[in-house]
C-alpha cells in the first residue's frame, strides 16, 4: 500500500503539491502566528506591569462625592479635587495611617483661591515726545486666555502723565516703625521751602465715623506740579481709588490707574509710587507697571507623606521645603488660634503658574486737553477712556508665566522661625478671605458625551474682596461665564483670622518623581488635568494644545495649587463656623506596601487594604492601581468673550484597565489559536474532499478488485498523512527563519510542533472524506456523475449569466461547499475583528489600552490575512475541481459555437454568485459569532464587515480566473473523447 500511495502522489504531482502547499502554509503560519501571540502575550504582560505603577494605589474621598458619570463608568473625574472642600476628618486620616499594609497616606485639604499681586513692565519710552511740555500716555489692556480664543478688553487703562514742569513729591513725616510710617502727615518741599496744599484740593470724603467730611489729601499724598505761572496744582488723578464698592468694581474708574513722571533735561524719567517710606525712582526708560494679579489655589498637605509619594523635598528650587516642625504663629495681640487673630503660616510657592493668560497692551499718546489730570481718578478716567491715541502706538504681549516666574524669583524667603513679627516680612499672600469654587455639573448626551452646564457670569458682589485696597486686583477673567459656582470663605469680621502666608521656599513641579503617563492617576496637587480638542475644529481652535485654567475660580479647568501649606495651618485658616473645620481633608492618596504592579499578589494586597479603609471609615474608596487615563468627551458652550464652543477629550482615570488588558490578552490569544486551527482544518478538508471526488473512478475499481472499505479509507488517509508529514517537516524548518525575519523568536520546541500540528490537522480534515471514500458503492463510483435535467418554469434559459446561475444550482452540493468555505473564511475573519473590538472594549479605550492596541494590531492583521487567504484558496480549489468535472459540458458548448470569452464569462458569473453568497453569509456568521461571544455587536464590527464583504467577493472572483482560463483553453476534441 505504501508503494501505491507513493506512486499515486508522484503521478498526481499537481494535486499533491497543492495539498502540500496548503498544509505547509497553514502549519507554518500557525506556528509562527502562535509564536508571535505567545511572545506578544509575555511582552504585553510585562509592558502592562511596568506601566501600572502610579504615585498611589488607593484614592479615598468623602462619602457621596462620586458623581453620576463616574459611578456609571468606573471613572475618577479629572479636576475633581478643585471642587472638593473637606469631607474627611483628621481622625479618619490617622486611622488609615495605622492600618496594616498602608505604607503612606497623604492627605490634601483644598482651601480655595487667594490673590497674589504681580506687575508687568510695559515700556512706553518710544511713545514719549521729548519736545512736549506736558503729555499723557495711555496703556490700554486686553486680557487673553483659552489659548487666545477669549479676549477681554479691560474697561480701564494705565495712564502716565509726563511733564517737564518741576514736580513736588510728597514727603511723609511721622512716627516710623520699620519701613512703615504710622500717624503720618504730608509735607511738600519746593526749593527749600514748604508749599501749602489744602487737604480738600482733590475733593472731600466722609470723615471716619460718619461725622462730616474731610479732605481727601489728609494722610494721602499726590505729586504736585509747579506750573510756569508760579502756581502749584495737585495731580489729583494719581490719588487712586480710595473707596471701592462691589457695584462699580468693573467700572472704568475703578479699573484705571494714573502715574506721574517727570521728564528731566537729560531725557531721564523720575516716577513715584507715593507710599510711605518710598522714594521717587529715576530711570532712562519709562516703564509702566501694569497690575496683573492672579488667583492661585491654596492647599494644605502633610509634607512627610507628600515627600514619600512624589519626592516633594527634592523638587525644592529656593529656600527650604515644608516641614512638620514649621508651626503657625499668632501675632502678639491675638488671644487664641480662632477668631479675629493675626497669624502667619508657612507656605511653599510653585515655580509654575499653571495659568493660561496673556496681556496684550497698546500704548500711545493722547492729544488734546490734559486738564483732566488735575481731577480725581474717576473723572480723569472717564474723560480719557475714549480718547484717541496719536500715531506710533506701541504693542506689547506678555505671557503670565514670565511675569509669574519673575515674581517668584523676587519673592523674599525666610528661614521660618514660627514668630509672627519675624516671619511676616516674607508674606506672599493673605489667606483670608478665600474664594471656593464647586465642581462643574454635566448633562449626559445621547452619544455618550457630557455637556458642562454654563452658570453664566458670577454676580459682581462675589468679587467684593480687594487686595492691598486696589480694585484692579480682581482679574478680568471673572466676567466670563463660569462653570463652577463661586463663593467666599473667611471674610467674617471677628471670626476669620487675618492669616499671612509666609514663603519659606519654592518648588518646581517638573522635578517631582515621574510615573508612566499611560497609568497616571489624578495628581491635581501638582498638575492640571488634560483637556485637548476632541474633534478637528476644536484641535484647530486650540492650536493642538490642551485647554488650561486661568485666574477665574469659575473657569472649567482648574489650576493645580500654587501655594502649599501644612496640615497644622488648618485651624488658623478655617473659620469656627465653617463645616470644613471638623472634616477639612478633601482626599487621601494611599500607597500600599509591597505592591509591584497588577500581579495577583499585589492586587490582593490593594483590595484588602481598600476593604479595610471602607469598613473602618465609611468613605468613598477607589482602587486606582492599574488605572489609566481615559478620554471623556466634554462639550463646552461658547464663552461670551469670543471663545467658540469646544469639544474636549478630557482625561479621566479609568479603574481596572491593567487587569482588564491582561485578561483580554489571554482571551484574545485563545480565540486566535482556535480560529486559525479551524481555518486550517477547513482548507485541508476541502482539499482532501476534492481529491476524493476526482478519484471516484479509481477508488471504485479498487473496490471491485476486492479492497475492503477500511483499506480504501487507510489508502486515502495515508496519502494525506504522508503529505502532512512532509508539510510539517518543511513548516518546522521554515518557521524559525520566517520568525526571525518578522522579529519573533521561534524556539526549537515550537518549530518541532509543526509536525504534530500538521498531522493532527490532516487527520481531523481527512477522516470523514476517507471514510466516505471507503463506503462508496463501486457501482456509484463507476457511474458518470450525471445530473437529471429539469424543466425551467417560465421559458428557456437566456443569457450567460442566467445559465451560469442555473449551472450552479444544478451542482448545488459543490456550490454549497464553495459557499461554505468562503462563508467560514469571512466569518472567521470577522470574528477576529470582533476579538480585536472586544479587546479594546475590555480595555475601555484608555491611553494604556491604545498603547497596547498598537502593539497587538500587527499580529491581528497577519491572522486575518492568513485566515481569509486560506478560505479563498479552499473556495478556489472547489471551483477548480468543479470546472475539471465539467470540462466535457463546457467543451460541448465550445463545439456548438461558444467563444472562449463566453466560456470565461460563464465561469466568472458562477464564481460571482458563490462570492456574493459567501460574503453575505460570512458577514451574517461574523455577526452571529460576535453576539454569541460578546453578548453584543461592537460598532467597530460593521465597518469591518463593509470592507471584508467586497474584499472576499473580489478575491474569490480573482481566484476564478484560473479555472475560467482552463475551461476556455482545454482542447475540445481530446476533452470530448475522454468524457
Amino acid at each position: 500500500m505504501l508503494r501505491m500511495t507513493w506512486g499515486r502522489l508522484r503521478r498526481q504531482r499537481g494535486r499533491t503539491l497543492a495539498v502540500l502547499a496548503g498544509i505547509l502554509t497553514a502549519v507554518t503560519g500557525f506556528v509562527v502566528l502562535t509564536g508571535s501571540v505567545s511572545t506578544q502575550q509575555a511582552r504585553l504582560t510585562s509592558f502592562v506591569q511596568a506601566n501600572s505603577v502610579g504615585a498611589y494605589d488607593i484614592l479615598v474621598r468623602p462619602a457621596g462625592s462620586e458623581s453620576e458619570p463616574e459611578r456609571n463608568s468606573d471613572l475618577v473625574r479629572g479636576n475633581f479635587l478643585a471642587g472638593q472642600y473637606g469631607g474627611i476628618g483628621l481622625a479618619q486620616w490617622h486611622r488609615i495611617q495605622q492600618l496594616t499594609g498602608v505604607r503612606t497616606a497623604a492627605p490634601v485639604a483644598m482651601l480655595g483661591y487667594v490673590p497674589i499681586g504681580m506687575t508687568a513692565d510695559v515700556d512706553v519710552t518710544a511713545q514719549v515726545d521729548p519736545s512736549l511740555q506736558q503729555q499723557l500716555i495711555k496703556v490700554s489692556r486686553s486680557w487673553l486666555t483659552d489659548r487666545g480664543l477669549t479676549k477681554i478688553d479691560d474697561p480701564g487703562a494705565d495712564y502716565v502723565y509726563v511733564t517737564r514742569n518741576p514736580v513736588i513729591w510728597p514727603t511723609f513725616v511721622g512716627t516710623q516703625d520699620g519701613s512703615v510710617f504710622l500717624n503720618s502727615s504730608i509735607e511738600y518741599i519746593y526749593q527749600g521751602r514748604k508749599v501749602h496744599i489744602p487737604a480738600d484740593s482733590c475733593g472731600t470724603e466722609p470723615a471716619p465715623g460718619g461725622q462730616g467730611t474731610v479732605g481727601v489729601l489728609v494722610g494721602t499724598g499726590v505729586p504736585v506740579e509747579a506750573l510756569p505761572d508760579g502756581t502749584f496744582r495737585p495731580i489729583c488723578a494719581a490719588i487712586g481709588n480710595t473707596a471701592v464698592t462691589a457695584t462699580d468694581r468693573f467700572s472704568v474708574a475703578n479699573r484705571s490707574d494714573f502715574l506721574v513722571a517727570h521728564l528731566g533735561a537729560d531725557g531721564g524719567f523720575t516716577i513715584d509710587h507715593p507710599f510711605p517710606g518710598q522714594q521717587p525712582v529715576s530711570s532712562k526708560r519709562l516703564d509702566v507697571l501694569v497690575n496683573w494679579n492672579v488667583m492661585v489655589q491654596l492647599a494644605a498637605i502633610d509634607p512627610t507623606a507628600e515627600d514619600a509619594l512624589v519626592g516633594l523635598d527634592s523638587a525644592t528650587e529656593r529656600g527650604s521645603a515644608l516641614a512638620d516642625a514649621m508651626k503657625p504663629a499668632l501675632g502678639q495681640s491675638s488671644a487664641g488660634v480662632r477668631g479675629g487673630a493675626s497669624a502667619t503660616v508657612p507656605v511653599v510657592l510653585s515655580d509654575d503658574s499653571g495659568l493660561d493668560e496673556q496681556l496684550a497692551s497698546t500704548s500711545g499718546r493722547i492729544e488734546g486737553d490734559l486738564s483732566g489730570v488735575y481731577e480725581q481718578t474717576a473723572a480723569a478716567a472717564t474723560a480719557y477712556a475714549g480718547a484717541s491715541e496719536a500715531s506710533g502706538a506701541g504693542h506689547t504681549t506678555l505671557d503670565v508665566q514670565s511675569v509669574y516666574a519673575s515674581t517668584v524669583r523676587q519673592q523674599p524667603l525666610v528661614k521660618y522661625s514660627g514668630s509672627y513679627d519675624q516671619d511676616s516680612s516674607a508674606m506672599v499672600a493673605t489667606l483670608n478671605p478665600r474664594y471656593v469654587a464647586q465642581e462643574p455639573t454635566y448633562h449626559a448626551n445621547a452619544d455618550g458625551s457630557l455637556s458642562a452646564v454654563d452658570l453664566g457670569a458670577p454676580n459682581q458682589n462675589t468679587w467684593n474682596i480687594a487686595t492691598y485696597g486696589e480694585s484692579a486686583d480682581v482679574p478680568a477673567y471673572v466676567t466670563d461665564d463660569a462653570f463652577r459656582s463661586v463663593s467666599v470663605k473667611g471674610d467674617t469680621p471677628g471670626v476669620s483670622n487675618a492669616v499671612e502666608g509666609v514663603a519659606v521656599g519654592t518648588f518646581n513641579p517638573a522635578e517631582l518623581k515621574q510615573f508612566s503617563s499611560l497609568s497616571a492617576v489624578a495628581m491635581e496637587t501638582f498638575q492640571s488635568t488634560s483637556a485637548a480638542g476632541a474633534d478637528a475644529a476644536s484641535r484647530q481652535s486650540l492650536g493642538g494644545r490642551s485647554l488650561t485654567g486661568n485666574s477665574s475660580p469659575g473657569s472649567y479647568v482648574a489650576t493645580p495649587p500654587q501655594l502649599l501649606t501644612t496640615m497644622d495651618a488648618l485651624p488658623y485658616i478655617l473659620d469656627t463656623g465653617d463645616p470644613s473645620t471638623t472634616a477639612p481633608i478633601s482626599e487621601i492618596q494611599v500607597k500600599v506596601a509591597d505592591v509591584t504592579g497588577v500581579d495577583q499578589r499585589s492586587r490582593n494586597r490593594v483590595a484588602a487594604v481598600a476593604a479595610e479603609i471602607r469598613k473602618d471609615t465609611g468613605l468613598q474608596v477607589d482602587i486606582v492601581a492599574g488605572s489609566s487615563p481615559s478620554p471623556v468627551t466634554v462639550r463646552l458652550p461658547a464663552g461670551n468673550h469670543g471663545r467658540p464652543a469646544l469639544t474636549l477629550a478630557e482625561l479621566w482615570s479609568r479603574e481596572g484597565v491593567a487587569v482588564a488588558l491582561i485578561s483580554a490578552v489571554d482571551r484574545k490569544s485563545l480565540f486566535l489559536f482556535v480560529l486559525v486551527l479551524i481555518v486550517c482544518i477547513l482548507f485541508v478538508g476541502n482539499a482532501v474532499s476534492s481529491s476524493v471526488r476526482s478519484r471516484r473512478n479509481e477508488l471504485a475499481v479498487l473496490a471491485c478488485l476486492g479492497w475492503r472499505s477500511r483499506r480504501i479509507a487507510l489508502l486515502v488517509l495515508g496519502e494525506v498523512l504522508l503529505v502532512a508529514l512532509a508539510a510539517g517537516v518543511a513548516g518546522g524548518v521554515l518557521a524559525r527563519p520566517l520568525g526571525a525575519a518578522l522579529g519573533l523568536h521561534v524556539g526549537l520546541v515550537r518549530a518541532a510542533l509543526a509536525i504534530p500540528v500538521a498531522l493532527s490537522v490532516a487527520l481531523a480534515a481527512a477522516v470523514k472524506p476517507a471514510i466516505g471514500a471507503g463506503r462508496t458503492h463501486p457501482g456509484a463510483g463507476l457511474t458518470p456523475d450525471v445530473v437529471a435535467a429539469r424543466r425551467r418554469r417560465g421559458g428557456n434559459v437566456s443569457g450567460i449569466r442566467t445559465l451560469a446561475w442555473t449551472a450552479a444550482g444544478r451542482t448545488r452540493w459543490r456550490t454549497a461547499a464553495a459557499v461554505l468555505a468562503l462563508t467560514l473564511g469571512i466569518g472567521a475573519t470577522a470574528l477576529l475583528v470582533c476579538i480585536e473590538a472586544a479587546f479594546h472594549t475590555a480595555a475601555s479605550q484608555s491611553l494604556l489600552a491604545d498603547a497596547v492596541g498598537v502593539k497587538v494590531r500587527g499580529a491581528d492583521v497577519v491572522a486575518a490575512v492568513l485566515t481569509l487567504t486560506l478560505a479563498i484558496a479552499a473556495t478556489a480549489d472547489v471551483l477548480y475541481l468543479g470546472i475539471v468535472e465539467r470540462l466535457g459540458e463546457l467543451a460541448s458548448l465550445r463545439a456548438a459555437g461558444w467563444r472562449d470569452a463566453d466560456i470565461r464569462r460563464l465561469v466568472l458569473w458562477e464564481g460571482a454568485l458563490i462570492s456574493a453568497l459567501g460574503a453575505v453569509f460570512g458577514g451574517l456568521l461574523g455577526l452571529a459569532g460576535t453576539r454569541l461571544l460578546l453578548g453584543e455587536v461592537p460598532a467597530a464590527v460593521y465597518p469591518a464587515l463593509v470592507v471584508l464583504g467586497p474584499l472576499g467577493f473580489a478575491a474569490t472572483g480573482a481566484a476564478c480566473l484560473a479555472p475560467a482560463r482552463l475551461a476556455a483553453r482545454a482542447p475540445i476534441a481530446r476533452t470530448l473523447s475522454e468524457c
Side-chain angles (χ1 to χ4, degrees), residues 46 128 259 336 348 357 416 501 641 701 783 876 906:
S46 176
V128 175
L259 300 176
V348 289
E357 299 179 9
Y416 195 76
H641 291 286
V701 169
T783 303
L906 178 68

Side-chain angles (χ1 to χ4, degrees), residues 601-828:
R601 178 177 170 276
S602 295
R603 299 205 307 260
N604 291 342
R605 292 184 66 84
V606 173
V609 172
E612 281 297 313
I613 295 174
R614 194 179 292 109
K615 175 184 175 182
D616 232 33
T617 64
L619 298 171
Q620 168 72 36
V621 177
D622 297 288
I623 296 178
V624 296
S627 66
S628 179
S630 179
V632 174
T633 302
V634 178
R635 304 184 187 280
L636 296 187
N640 56 14
H641 291 286
R643 178 181 58 75
L646 295 174
T647 302
L648 303 175
E650 186 176 356
L651 292 182
W652 295 15
S653 292
R654 188 174 295 278
E655 301 173 27
V657 170
V659 176
L661 275 171
I662 292 176
S663 301
V665 168
D666 293 340
R667 291 197 305 272
K668 189 169 178 293
S669 302
L670 175 62
F671 288 136
L672 197 60
F673 295 159
V674 172
L675 283 176
V676 172
L677 278 176
I678 289 174
V679 177
C680 289
I681 293 171
L682 170 67
F683 177 83
V684 177
N686 268 331
V688 176
S689 298
S690 300
S691 177
V692 169
R693 284 200 308 273
S694 67
R695 299 169 55 196
R696 50 198 306 272
N697 290 345
E698 176 189 335
L699 297 176
V701 169
L702 291 176
C704 292
L705 292 176
W707 282 46
R708 294 184 177 182
S709 299
R710 180 181 300 175
R711 191 176 181 187
I712 293 175
L714 289 175
L715 175 65
V716 174
L717 200 58
E719 293 176 3
V720 176
L721 290 178
L722 190 59
V723 173
L725 178 62
V729 173
V733 172
L734 291 175
R736 298 197 72 189
L738 183 59
L742 295 175
L744 303 171
H745 175 68
V746 179
L748 287 173
V749 175
R750 184 171 296 280
L753 284 176
I755 296 175
V757 168
L759 293 174
S760 300
V761 168
L763 185 63
V767 164
K768 185 176 180 181
I771 293 175
R775 291 179 177 177
T776 302
H777 192 278
L782 294 172
T783 303
D785 190 9
V786 179
V787 178
R790 295 183 181 182
R791 182 176 298 278
R792 184 175 182 270
R793 294 181 181 180
N796 297 324
V797 174
S798 61
I800 294 176
R801 180 177 57 185
T802 308
L803 181 60
W805 291 352
T806 303
R810 284 194 299 111
T811 55
R812 54 184 176 274
W813 292 114
R814 183 170 59 234
T815 302
V819 171
L820 178 62
L822 190 59
T823 296
L824 292 179
I826 293 180

Side-chain angles (χ1 to χ4, degrees), residues 345-583:
V345 299
V347 298
V348 289
L349 185 63
S350 172
D351 287 346
D352 186 358
S353 71
L355 298 166
D356 171 21
E357 299 179 9
Q358 296 82 41
L359 166 63
S361 65
T362 300
S363 52
R365 190 177 66 257
I366 294 177
E367 297 179 334
D369 182 16
L370 302 183
S371 60
V373 299
Y374 304 117
E375 305 293 334
Q376 286 197 47
T377 302
T382 303
Y384 298 119
S388 59
E389 301 166 352
S391 59
H395 302 278
T396 302
T397 300
L398 298 172
D399 186 76
V400 67
Q401 182 56 34
S402 62
V403 179
Y404 178 87
S406 175
T407 302
V408 171
R409 284 193 300 269
Q410 297 172 18
Q411 171 64 40
L413 306 176
V414 297
K415 185 174 182 180
Y416 195 76
S417 65
S419 167
Y420 177 86
D421 295 327
Q422 293 183 35
D423 297 334
S424 60
S425 61
M427 183 188 76
V428 63
T430 57
L431 308 186
N432 269 332
R434 310 175 312 281
Y435 294 103
V436 295
Q438 304 304 317
E439 65 182 62
T441 55
Y442 300 94
H443 287 317
N445 301 316
D447 61 358
S449 64
L450 302 174
S451 290
V453 177
D454 188 339
L455 303 178
N459 190 293
Q460 198 177 102
N461 290 327
T462 304
W463 316 109
N464 197 21
I465 300 178
T467 305
Y468 310 122
E470 296 292 338
S471 61
D473 291 335
V474 179
Y477 306 107
V478 301
T479 61
D480 203 356
D481 285 0
F483 294 94
R484 302 167 182 265
S485 60
V486 182
S487 57
V488 183
K489 288 190 176 183
D491 62 341
T492 306
V495 175
S496 303
N497 292 337
V499 184
E500 299 176 3
V502 176
V504 300
T506 67
F507 70 95
N508 183 0
E511 296 298 323
L512 297 171
K513 187 186 300 182
Q514 299 299 308
F515 299 88
S516 172
S517 61
L518 302 180
S519 58
V521 291
M523 287 296 294
E524 294 179 71
T525 321
F526 304 105
Q527 55 188 310
S528 179
T529 187
S530 175
D535 56 24
S538 298
R539 286 191 291 271
Q540 183 177 3
S541 296
L542 293 171
R545 297 171 292 178
S546 178
L547 187 69
T548 306
N550 54 51
S551 287
S552 173
S555 64
Y556 178 72
V557 178
T559 60
Q562 297 95 336
L563 289 179
L564 299 176
T565 188
T566 64
M567 300 297 290
D568 289 332
L570 292 175
Y572 296 79
I573 297 174
L574 298 175
D575 292 345
T576 53
D578 191 334
S580 300
T581 302
T582 56

Side-chain angles (χ1 to χ4, degrees), residues 143-155:
W143 304 95
L144 290 81
T145 187
D146 297 334
R147 302 306 182 188
L149 300 175
T150 295
K151 181 181 179 182
I152 302 174
D153 294 326
D154 202 309

